[in-house]
Every structure is written in structure tokens, then in C-alpha cells.
Amino acid sequence: MKRAIKHRTMGRGHHGMITNLVGPSGIGNDIKPFVFLDYIHGVPPQGAGFGWHPHSGIATFTYYIEGGSDLEESTGNKVSFRAGDIEYLQAGSGAWHKGMLLKDQPTLGFQLWIALPPKLETADAKSIYVTNDKILSNDQFKVLLGEYEGIKSKIDPPNDMNYLDVSLGPDEKWTYTPPKTHDLLWLVVYKGALNGGLEVPVGELIVFEEGNQPIEFSSDEGASFLLGSAKKFAHDLVLERSSIHTSIANLKLSENKIKEIYSELFRKSLLE
């Protein structure tokens, strides 16, 4: 049985070299816990990046295939982020971070936001940085988050979910068989193109109809893509700028926490 496609999108321009593919009030509400996805592509000019800004109720998962950035977070984490590395910020009750892209270097990457369940959305924030050489993989995929075919990520996912980086060679086929609990599946191609009944070019995100059927992927010339699957998030989303929670009460708690962290950062002169 062939699995139908529910959404196809090339996204919309967000900030110059950033294309927003998923937002929490649109496709993100259909594929939650995957609630937001930015596609970062291009050559950044001097000073490109994001200044200090807060999050709560979500985890941000930043992954570069090319290029990188220098990141700093209110958790105390400060890293020089390079191609193939992972930066995972589980913002919980509140956290701030900033990042500057590496100027004049071709950049290709993604930032994913993941909705947190109630027990984690009010917990203390934590950061995990995983370098490329620590990410487990086989010849066809890297396990960025979750577990597939006995390969487990270095980061424990906050939900029942998988996030893979898949690469196919010319005329190669690969079948993804979702875990039995997963009813959501999406992908976005970042290199080459998928063919053979599922035509997907670079930069396009597709979301499949809910279900659990395996899907075969193939490419004539070769392709690389990110794939996400999960058990659908059971909670409603309460949205407020860069915060996403499961209740208004938890959102209000985190707004107070974010203000406290800001005051502490300001006292340390980190917001200059």
C-alpha cells in the first residue's frame, strides 16, 4: 500500500539565507512534536546570525552539513560549532542563546524545534553538544535522534521519535520502516533529488499521511535528506513568540523564568 503525501512545500523566506519550512501554527501542528524547521543555506555575510533570544517549552536541535557557527547559551555552554556537529538545547522552563554564522563560508544546515512533554517543559534547561565523530551511523544514515536498526543517538529524545540524516548513492534504494508506535513521517531533501515514484527536489519538505507503512526511497543521481518520524504529540500547543507550551499556566511560569535569566545575563554584561 502506497503512503499518500499530505503536504509539500518549498517554504517561505524568513531571514535572507533562511527558509522556514515548518511553523507551529501550520504544518508543525500536524507533525508535532516536530513544530518548527528552518533551512539555512547560502554564504553568510559579516555579522550574520542571531543575537541573544529566549526559548521555553521546546528543544532546539541545530545541525550543519556545511559551515557552522559560534554558539553561546545561558546554560553556560559555549562552543565553536562545525559541519556535522549537533547542538541540542532543551530549553525547558527557559533559556537564552545566540549564534554567529561563519562568514564567507558556504553554509547548509537546519534548526528544528521539538515540543516538550509536560514533565520536561518546566524542567531546568540543559545543553548537549555532540561532535561529528561521535554521531553513530552506517553506510546509509546517521541517527541524529532516537534509535533505528540498532543504532542509537547520543542524545535521549524527549519524545518517541527518530531524526535521521540519510544519503543514497546513484541508483540506490533504501526503505524506512517506522517503529510501530510512529504515525508521523516527513523528510526534506538537501542534496540531489529523490526519484522513482517519489519526486522530491532540493529544498522541498514533504509530509506523508499518518500511518505506519514502510516507504522505499530511490535516487537516479544520488540524494541526501533529513527524515523525521514520531508518535504524534498528544498535547495542544500554546504559542508565544519563541516559546511553545502545553498549557497557559506553564507558559506563564516560563515567562517569569526567562525574565530572571535575562536579568542575570545583563548583570554579567553578556547582552552587549
Side-chain angles (χ1 to χ4, degrees), residues 9 12 40-41 55 60 64 67 72 91 98 121 128 148 171 202 216-217 227 246 250 263 272:
T9 181
R12 60 183 180 85
I40 307 162
H41 52 108
H55 293 291
T60 64
Y64 286 100
E72 189 170 353
K98 68 175 180 177
E121 68 177 317
I128 302 174
Y148 191 62
D171 299 317
V202 165
E216 183 181 82
F217 303 100
L227 176 149
T246 64
N250 285 344
S263 296
E272 296 179 356

Side-chain angles (χ1 to χ4, degrees), residues 24 31 38 65 71 82 122 146 218 230 247:
I31 61 172
D38 267 350
I65 294 95
L71 296 178
R82 297 299 179 260
T122 55
S218 62
S247 70

Side-chain angles (χ1 to χ4, degrees), residues 139-151:
D139 291 340
Q140 291 184 306
F141 61 84
K142 296 180 180 180
V143 179
L144 306 180
L145 200 60
E147 183 175 2
Y148 191 62
E149 294 187 355
I151 302 174

Side-chain angles (χ1 to χ4, degrees), residues 24-61:
S25 60
I27 292 175
N29 196 51
D30 282 345
I31 61 172
K32 58 187 180 183
F34 306 102
V35 293
F36 180 95
L37 183 66
D38 267 350
Y39 171 37
I40 307 162
H41 52 108
V43 179
Q46 173 73 35
F50 298 94
W52 285 104
H53 61 281
H55 293 291
S56 66
I58 61 169
T60 64
F61 191 105

Side-chain angles (χ1 to χ4, degrees), residues 105-160:
Q105 292 194 26
T107 299
L108 173 61
F110 295 85
Q111 187 176 85
L112 173 70
W113 294 4
I114 302 165
L116 297 176
K119 67 179 181 180
L120 296 179
E121 68 177 317
T122 55
D124 290 341
K126 68 175 183 179
S127 300
I128 302 174
Y129 179 56
V130 183
T131 55
N132 182 38
D133 60 315
K134 302 296 184 183
I135 300 172
L136 300 181
S137 64
N138 64 14
D139 291 340
Q140 291 184 306
F141 61 84
K142 296 180 180 180
V143 179
L144 306 180
L145 200 60
E147 183 175 2
Y148 191 62
E149 294 187 355
I151 302 174
K152 188 175 182 180
S153 66
K154 292 293 184 179
I155 303 167
D156 290 330
N159 303 286
D160 182 3

Side-chain angles (χ1 to χ4, degrees), residues 9-11 19 21 39 110 188-192 200-205:
T9 181
M10 298 295 288
T19 301
L21 295 170
Y39 171 37
F110 295 85
V188 58
V189 174
Y190 66 81
K191 183 179 180 181
V200 188
V202 165
E204 183 171 36
L205 178 135

Side-chain angles (χ1 to χ4, degrees), residues 4-27:
I5 294 174
K6 186 175 183 179
H7 298 291
R8 305 187 76 123
T9 181
M10 298 295 288
R12 60 183 180 85
H14 190 47
H15 292 294
M17 58 184 287
I18 298 177
T19 301
N20 180 244
L21 295 170
V22 174
S25 60
I27 292 175

